[in-house]
Amino acid sequence: MTKNILYIIFILVLAVNIYPQRMMKLSVKNDGKESQVSFVARKNIVYVSAIELASALNANHYFNSKSAKVELKFSDYNLKFTAANQFAVLISRKDNSQEILQIPLSTLYIGSDVFIPIQYTSNLIERAMGGKIVFNSGKKHIDVFGGKVEPPVAVQVEESDTETGYRPPLVEKEIVNSPYDIYDLTIDEKSNGTLIRLKSQKKIIKQPRSSIKDGKLYLYLSGVTFDLQKIRSTKTAGLVRTVEFKDIAGNFQLEFKLKDGYSTHETFLDIDNNDILITIHNKKFEHTESPVIDNMKKWEFDVVVIDAGHGGKDPGAIGITGAREKDINLAIALKLGKLIDQNMPDVKVVYTRDDDTFVELYKRGKIANENNGKLFVSIHCNSLGKGSEGVRGFEVYLLRPGRTKKAIEIAEFENSVIRFEENPDRYQELTDENFILVSMAHSQYMRFSEKFSEILFNDWHKSVEIPARGIRQAGFYVLVGASMPSVLVESGYISNKQDEAYLKSSAGQTVVAKSIYNSLVEYRNYYNQEFEDTGG
C-alpha cells in the first residue's frame, strides 16, 4: 500500500471521527425542488442544521460565530436560534416587535452550525415563513407548502449581534469596560445558603464543571480570561472561607475553601445574562422529612402524591364559560388516582386533597413528605387575560427561577393562593435569587423530575388533543416543600374555549389522567432500572 493511499485513508478516518454526526441527511421538498439537509439524532429526536434548512426553505440567514446564533430571514418575520439554548426569538419585520418562544429541548452546536429539534420547532418556522411544514420522522423527509421569503441577498455575518427580546434578569446587568471575559466575582450569604456569581462579558456555551472534595469546591473553566486582581480581592461570605485561582496547563481552576455546614452544590449558566452561578446549600436547610436523602438505596417506588391545585375558598382560574380550575384539577386527580389503584396495587396513592377543601401550600409538601412520597405531581390549569384567548396547550414545569415573562406571570398567579392562608409571611424569603437556593433542595431529584417531564411531554404529544407546548421552569411555592422528584402540570388554558371544553368534559379529563398514568408506568420502569444499574 503506497504512502499516498495510506494518507487518503488516514484523512477519511479522521473526517469520520471529527464529523460523525454530519454524515446523515434528510430530504426537503419545497415547491417541487428537493434538497438535502444534515441532521443528527439524539434519543429519537431529530436535530437539523438551521443554516442548511434556511437554504432549503429559500430563506436567507445570518450567522454569528461569536455568539453562536443563527437567524432565518423570511418576508414578514426573522426567527433566531442560539446554540445550547431552549429559547427562540420571533422578530416582526414590520414593527420590529419580538416574541420569546421556548422549546422543550435545547439546540445543539455542531461544526459551527446550530442544530434545531425539528419536531419541536417546525411550528415556529411555520409562523415565521407563513407556510406549512410536514416532517415524516420515519422517512426522514420534510414537505414544505407555501411560505414567503425575502428577495435573495448575500449571506451576511453579524459579528456585533446582541441578545434580543425580553430577559427578566435576576440582578441588574452592569455596563462594564473591562478587557477580561470574567470581570468580577461576588459571594453573597443568603438565608439558606451561599451564592457565588462570576460576572462574564462572554457568552459561555459549554456548561462549567465543578466538584467538592476535602472541603474545597473546584470550578474548572477553559477558553476565558480572568481579572485576577478582582478575584483575589473578593470578599468572602457565607460558607466560603477563601478563594484561590490556579492555571493548570492552560486550564483555569478556581478553588473555594469551604466552612463546615455545607451540603450540596450546583453550577449553572444564567441564561438571563452571561454569568456563571454556583449555589452552595446549608446543611441545616436540607429537607430531613423524607428518607430519600439519607437512604436513597432503599427508595422503592411505592408512593405517588397527587396534588389537585387550589380548592375550597380558592377557585383558581375561571374559564370563559365559567369552568372552575379547582373542579377540573380535582376531577383529573381522582381519575389518575383510580387508575393507579386499579393497575398498580403496590403503589400507594396519597392525595393532598380529595374533595373541595382548601389546603395551604406548605401543608401540601408536608403531606407528601410525611407519607414518604416518591413522586409529587401537582395538577393545575392555565389562564391568561383578555386578548390571549387564542393561546392554548399543555405545559409541565420544574422548580427553577422563572426564565421568561410568561413563566414568571404563571408562577405569580399560582403562588397568589397564599393570600387565602393564615400566615402568608412564611413565604416572604422565596423571592429573586433566594429561589435559586431554595431549589437547591431539589437538585438531587432534578434528574428524575426532568425524566418524568420528558416522558409525560412525549406521551401527551401523542395521545391528548390539547397541544403540548413544552417543558418549562418557574418558581412554584407548592413544589418547594416536597422533598422528592416533583412536577407541576398545567393541563391546558381554560381561558381558551377549546381547552376549557376539553378539560371540563369527563372524557377529556379521563384522557389527561391516562396520559399522566401512562407516563408514571414508563417512569417507574426507568427509575427501577436506574437503581438496579447502580446497585440500589
Side-chain angles (χ1 to χ4, degrees):
M1 193 176 289
T2 65
K3 289 184 177 180
N4 286 339
I5 293 175
L6 285 171
Y7 177 74
I8 292 170
I9 292 174
F10 172 76
I11 293 298
L12 288 172
V13 172
L14 183 63
V16 169
N17 286 329
I18 293 176
Y19 301 105
Q21 302 179 93
R22 297 299 296 271
M23 296 297 104
M24 294 188 289
K25 299 280 185 178
L26 59 77
S27 59
V28 179
K29 191 172 183 180
N30 182 15
D31 196 23
K33 178 183 176 183
E34 193 156 325
S35 54
Q36 301 292 310
V37 173
S38 298
F39 79 93
V40 298
R42 300 274 181 87
K43 297 182 178 179
N44 297 321
I45 302 299
V46 173
Y47 296 79
V48 302
S49 159
I51 291 177
E52 293 179 22
L53 182 61
S55 177
L57 298 176
N58 298 324
N60 297 308
H61 76 270
Y62 292 157
F63 178 67
N64 184 331
S65 58
K66 286 187 177 180
S67 59
K69 299 178 191 292
V70 63
E71 189 168 353
L72 281 62
K73 310 282 286 183
F74 299 96
S75 61
D76 296 328
Y77 292 94
N78 296 343
L79 183 61
K80 182 180 291 187
F81 295 99
T82 303
N85 197 294
Q86 281 185 263
F87 294 90
V89 184
L90 186 67
I91 308 167
S92 170
R93 302 187 69 173
K94 182 179 180 180
D95 57 11
N96 206 35
S97 61
Q98 299 164 4
E99 182 180 355
I100 304 297
L101 305 164
Q102 188 173 26
I103 53 180
L105 300 170
S106 295
T107 59
L108 304 178
Y109 193 43
I110 303 173
S112 298
D113 196 350
V114 179
F115 278 62
I116 59 176
I118 190 63
Q119 288 100 318
Y120 302 128
T121 53
S122 58
N123 60 326
L124 308 185
I125 297 170
E126 287 176 345
R127 285 186 61 186
M129 68 181 289
K132 182 73 175 175
I133 292 177
V134 178
F135 172 61
N136 186 318
S137 60
K139 295 182 179 180
K140 297 297 185 290
H141 177 79
I142 297 174
D143 283 303
V144 183
F145 303 95
K148 298 177 288 182
V149 297
E150 65 174 0
V153 296
V155 173
Q156 302 180 41
V157 176
E158 296 179 343
E159 294 295 349
S160 61
D161 185 22
T162 57
E163 188 67 48
T164 58
Y166 178 85
R167 286 289 188 273
L170 295 175
V171 295
E172 188 69 26
K173 190 65 180 175
E174 302 171 61
I175 299 175
V176 297
N177 182 18
S178 172
Y180 301 99
D181 299 328
I182 306 294
Y183 63 89
D184 201 2
L185 171 66
T186 61
I187 303 174
D188 296 310
E189 182 176 14
K190 302 295 181 180
S191 62
N192 49 3
T194 301
L195 176 66
I196 301 171
R197 181 182 290 273
L198 283 80
K199 299 181 180 181
S200 174
Q201 298 185 98
K202 179 179 180 178
K203 181 77 173 179
I204 297 173
I205 295 192
K206 189 175 181 181
Q207 178 71 25
R209 293 185 301 115
S210 62
S211 64
I212 290 182
K213 184 179 180 180
D214 299 329
K216 285 187 178 180
L217 188 154
Y218 299 89
L219 176 70
Y220 311 96
L221 288 168
S222 59
V224 294
T225 58
F226 290 83
D227 187 336
L228 294 182
Q229 185 175 353
K230 281 275 189 181
I231 289 174
R232 287 168 178 157
S233 62
T234 298
K235 292 182 179 180
T236 59
L239 293 165
V240 177
R241 192 184 303 275
T242 61
V243 183
E244 290 186 36
F245 176 88
K246 292 184 179 179
D247 182 349
I248 303 175
N251 293 313
F252 304 116
Q253 179 176 298
L254 280 173
E255 296 182 5
F256 301 89
K257 189 174 181 180
L258 304 178
K259 300 176 184 177
D260 292 337
Y262 66 87
S263 58
T264 52
H265 88 289
E266 186 177 42
T267 301
F268 56 96
L269 299 173
D270 186 348
I271 66 170
D272 299 318
N273 45 54
N274 299 322
D275 298 349
I276 300 170
L277 299 178
I278 307 173
T279 54
I280 311 169
H281 207 261
N282 290 343
K283 272 186 179 178
K284 66 180 180 179
F285 282 96
E286 288 184 344
H287 290 259
T288 57
E289 300 94 333
S290 171
V292 178
I293 294 176
D294 300 323
N295 205 353
M296 291 193 72
K297 288 187 177 181
K298 292 184 179 179
W299 188 17
E300 296 180 3
F301 192 84
D302 56 359
V303 180
V304 173
V305 182
I306 304 174
D307 172 52
H310 307 280
K313 59 187 175 182
D314 173 25
I318 305 298
I320 292 177
T321 64
R324 299 184 300 183
E325 181 189 356
K326 68 172 184 176
D327 299 330
I328 294 173
N329 297 341
L330 180 60
I332 294 171
L334 294 176
K335 290 177 185 292
L336 172 60
K338 186 176 181 180
L339 285 170
I340 297 171
D341 286 336
Q342 291 174 341
N343 300 287
M344 289 184 173
D346 55 334
V347 175
K348 176 184 176 183
V349 175
V350 173
Y351 299 99
T352 58
R353 69 178 182 96
D354 58 7
D355 56 19
D356 187 19
T357 56
F358 176 74
V359 181
E360 294 180 312
L361 293 185
Y362 83 95
K363 286 183 179 178
R364 296 171 188 250
K366 190 170 183 288
I367 291 169
N369 294 332
E370 289 174 346
N371 285 275
N372 296 328
K374 306 309 186 298
L375 181 67
F376 183 86
V377 181
S378 188
I379 298 171
H380 291 256
C381 300
N382 226 328
S383 180
L384 291 174
K386 290 184 178 180
S388 302
E389 291 83 0
V391 178
R392 62 186 303 238
F394 149 87
E395 296 156 343
V396 56
Y397 281 87
L398 304 171
L399 180 65
R400 279 290 189 269
R403 295 302 195 189
T404 66
K405 183 178 181 181
K406 192 168 291 184
I408 291 171
E409 288 173 351
I410 291 169
E412 286 176 345
F413 174 78
E414 300 295 1
N415 292 340
S416 68
V417 62
I418 67 173
R419 70 186 185 277
F420 295 109
E421 299 190 11
E422 293 180 3
N423 181 22
D425 292 341
R426 71 174 71 247
Y427 306 99
Q428 64 183 354
E429 291 183 345
L430 301 183
T431 56
D432 303 325
E433 288 183 340
N434 271 345
F435 221 115
I436 298 173
L437 294 161
V438 170
S439 66
M440 275 297 299
H442 281 243
S443 63
Q444 56 213 343
Y445 313 117
M446 188 53 64
R447 175 166 63 103
F448 292 100
S449 301
E450 289 174 343
K451 184 62 179 180
F452 178 74
S453 299
E454 178 186 330
I455 293 170
L456 176 57
F457 178 84
N458 289 333
D459 186 89
W460 189 290
H461 188 71
K462 293 182 293 184
S463 59
V464 185
E465 290 181 21
I466 295 175
R469 290 169 59 89
I471 301 169
R472 311 193 178 204
Q473 50 193 7
F476 294 105
Y477 293 167
V478 71
L479 297 182
V480 170
S483 299
M484 62 202 66
S486 309
V487 299
L488 186 141
V489 174
E490 296 279 8
S491 52
Y493 282 77
I494 59 175
S495 53
N496 174 274
K497 285 185 178 180
Q498 290 175 274
D499 283 7
E500 182 190 22
Y502 191 88
L503 291 173
K504 73 178 185 179
S505 70
S506 179
Q509 293 162 2
T510 298
V511 175
V512 169
K514 282 183 178 178
S515 180
I516 300 174
Y517 167 76
N518 291 338
S519 303
L520 278 170
V521 173
E522 184 177 344
Y523 170 78
R524 183 173 68 163
N525 293 336
Y526 161 82
Y527 171 79
N528 288 339
Q529 187 61 50
E530 285 288 299
F531 272 77
E532 286 177 12
D533 293 343
T534 56

